[in-house]
Amino acid sequence: MAKKVTVVGAGFYGSTTAQRLAEYDLFDTVVLTDIVEGKPEGLALDLNQSRPIEGFETKVIGKTTGTDGSGYEVIEGSDVVIVTAGMPRKPGMSRMDLLEVNAKIVRGVAQSVARYAPESVVIVVSNPLDEMTALTQLATGFPRQRVMGQAGMLDTARFSHFVAEALAVPVASVRTLTLGSHGDTMVPVPSQCTVNGKPLTELLPAEKIEELVERTRNGGAEVVALLKTGSAYYAPSAAAARMARAVAEDSGAVLPVCAWVDGEYGISGVYLGVEAEIGAAGVRRVVETPLTDDERAALHDAAEAVRAKQSDVAA
Ligand SMILES: NC(=O)c1ccc[n+]([C@@H]2O[C@H](COP(=O)([O-])OP(=O)(O)OC[C@H]3O[C@@H](n4cnc5c(N)ncnc54)[C@H](O)[C@@H]3O)[C@@H](O)[C@H]2O)c1
């Protein structure tokens, strides 16, 4: 079946995501949009010209859209829409500093997505992530399972990379897990982390694990401080593209995502970072992982912190 994916926002995150999606050679069409006149068209032309070299048939369509929703006909029939529109952080900024400006952008984008791609699964990446995901669900009116956010895959990837470096082992042998929010209340789950199947807690002292957790928690800020002009996009785009792929392939992959939680872990009524089975309809189900008492308490704290902020956005 013909597959179509749209990436809204052709900045660093959006353009690298479009590239990864096109190079999968899985979709018939990748649509890239932005409000900056000519930018998505130019990037699409450039990406299409890489097709003979990279060897993919997917066509990339670039389209300038207006904040009034003009141009959005191009997204019609999209199976998946990835929302990257919005400001990134500058050094010293927290993700919450972006709330006001990005809420306005994301609300407008979500309304246009609901109008032109009413059957799509939406993956939100704009920050602050948990709040923008909740806002997108409200503004689209989509079933909650069809709206999710990308954060956990990135935080987990960062954690795995740091563990692999610390132990000098292949990254493929490392499995880590983070839950909670994409921010200060990220909840690392050391009890579920393994290296070649061995518990991480047996391979590294608790202080070293805590140091890696702290670096993971500040992983985004570390990149922002080095770049000075914007935030990370290679690892983030890899994460969003993989989520879109799981939807397109209806794969049932269990991935850490920001999903609506309804009773799992004794938590209800909030978008939160959890593991979930992803398929064509979005989140098939949230998958509960065994947690220690401390990890469970931290997840409850994270849920309450994001719940308060998500209701501010909804107001
Ligand atoms: N969830 C995550 O893990 C994660 C990771 C990295 C970045 N981010 C977030 O992703 C967002 C994008 O980051 P970036 O590095 O691509 O920033 P960027 O500044 O490079 O690109 C943002 C793009 O959005 C466009 N835009 C603004 N308003 C728009 C609208 N109404 N419709 C369509 N496009 C619009 C801008 O013109 C710009 O091209 C930021 O909010 C950033 O904080 C999230």
Side-chain angles (χ1 to χ4, degrees), residues 1-7 21 26-33 58-63 71-82 116-117 119-122 244-245 247-249:
M1 205 183 83
K3 291 279 177 203
K4 180 168 175 178
V5 57
T6 290
V7 181
L21 292 167
L26 168 72
F27 296 90
D28 294 274
T29 314
V30 174
V31 176
L32 182 61
T33 72
T58 299
K59 295 215 174 56
V60 185
I61 298 174
K63 178 79 183 168
Y72 266 87
E73 320 78 59
V74 72
I75 80 164
E76 269 170 0
S78 296
D79 302 282
V80 192
V81 176
I82 303 177
Y116 290 99
E119 302 302 323
S120 60
V121 171
V122 183
R245 184 172 188 150
V247 175
E249 294 184 325

Side-chain angles (χ1 to χ4, degrees), residues 8-15 33-36 39 65-67 72 83-89 95 98 102 104-106 108-109 124-129 149-152 154-155 158 182 230-233 236:
V8 179
F12 287 110
Y13 199 144
S15 56
T33 72
D34 203 288
I35 51 167
V36 176
K39 183 176 180 183
T65 54
T67 47
Y72 266 87
V83 179
T84 79
M87 301 278 290
R89 284 190 282 172
R95 294 184 179 93
L98 301 167
N102 283 356
K104 208 169 154 216
I105 293 171
V106 169
V109 168
V124 181
V125 311
S126 311
N127 272 319
L129 189 273
Q150 187 298 116
L154 172 62
D155 291 333
R158 285 178 171 151
H182 189 46
S231 58
Y233 47 95

Side-chain angles (χ1 to χ4, degrees), residues 19-314:
Q19 179 189 351
R20 292 187 190 283
L21 292 167
E23 289 178 357
Y24 286 163
D25 207 10
L26 168 72
F27 296 90
D28 294 274
T29 314
V30 174
V31 176
L32 182 61
T33 72
D34 203 288
I35 51 167
V36 176
E37 179 73 41
K39 183 176 180 183
E41 287 85 351
L43 290 168
L45 183 60
D46 192 9
L47 276 168
N48 282 325
Q49 290 167 355
S50 76
R51 297 196 311 150
I53 307 167
E54 280 298 321
F56 61 89
E57 294 296 332
T58 299
K59 295 215 174 56
V60 185
I61 298 174
K63 178 79 183 168
T64 304
T65 54
T67 47
D68 59 355
S70 58
Y72 266 87
E73 320 78 59
V74 72
I75 80 164
E76 269 170 0
S78 296
D79 302 282
V80 192
V81 176
I82 303 177
V83 179
T84 79
M87 301 278 290
R89 284 190 282 172
K90 302 241 162 55
M93 279 175 99
S94 87
R95 294 184 179 93
M96 286 310 287
D97 293 335
L98 301 167
L99 184 66
E100 210 169 308
V101 60
N102 283 356
K104 208 169 154 216
I105 293 171
V106 169
R107 186 178 284 114
V109 168
Q111 286 163 350
S112 296
V113 171
R115 180 153 176 222
Y116 290 99
E119 302 302 323
S120 60
V121 171
V122 183
I123 299 169
V124 181
V125 311
S126 311
N127 272 319
L129 189 273
D130 308 275
E131 290 73 16
M132 292 304 108
T133 306
L135 174 63
T136 299
Q137 190 278 321
L138 285 170
T140 52
F142 283 4
R144 292 182 171 117
Q145 294 77 0
R146 267 210 280 133
V147 179
M148 56 183 149
Q150 187 298 116
M153 285 196 70
L154 172 62
D155 291 333
T156 302
R158 285 178 171 151
F159 194 11
S160 293
H161 164 71
F162 293 142
V163 168
E165 275 209 319
L167 289 168
V169 294
V171 79
S173 65
V174 180
R175 182 190 186 275
T176 64
L177 182 62
T178 66
L179 303 174
S181 82
H182 189 46
D184 297 338
T185 43
M186 183 192 93
V187 179
V189 187
S191 72
Q192 291 297 314
C193 298
T194 56
V195 177
N196 279 323
K198 272 203 183 142
L200 179 63
T201 45
E202 289 175 17
L203 297 169
L204 284 174
E207 312 80 74
K208 183 66 186 173
I209 296 176
E210 186 46 39
E211 187 191 312
L212 301 182
V213 161
E214 206 40 39
R215 194 166 172 205
T216 303
R217 190 172 280 126
N218 297 321
E222 186 177 353
V223 176
V224 170
L226 290 164
L227 294 180
K228 296 179 189 70
T229 51
S231 58
Y233 47 95
Y234 286 116
S237 62
R242 279 289 152 176
M243 287 170 66
R245 184 172 188 150
V247 175
E249 294 184 325
D250 194 21
S251 72
V254 175
L255 305 174
V257 302
C258 176
W260 183 255
V261 178
D262 192 16
E264 294 84 3
Y265 299 105
I267 298 167
S268 285
V270 68
Y271 269 100
L272 191 65
V274 287
E275 284 194 293
E277 194 180 302
I278 307 301
V283 172
R284 288 186 191 163
R285 68 186 180 97
V286 170
V287 178
E288 271 192 74
T289 309
L291 300 178
T292 65
D293 288 348
D294 284 354
E295 290 161 353
R296 202 178 166 87
L299 189 60
H300 277 254
D301 288 349
E304 292 323 309
V306 293
R307 189 195 303 282
K309 303 222 174 67
Q310 286 176 16
S311 48
D312 283 355
V313 171

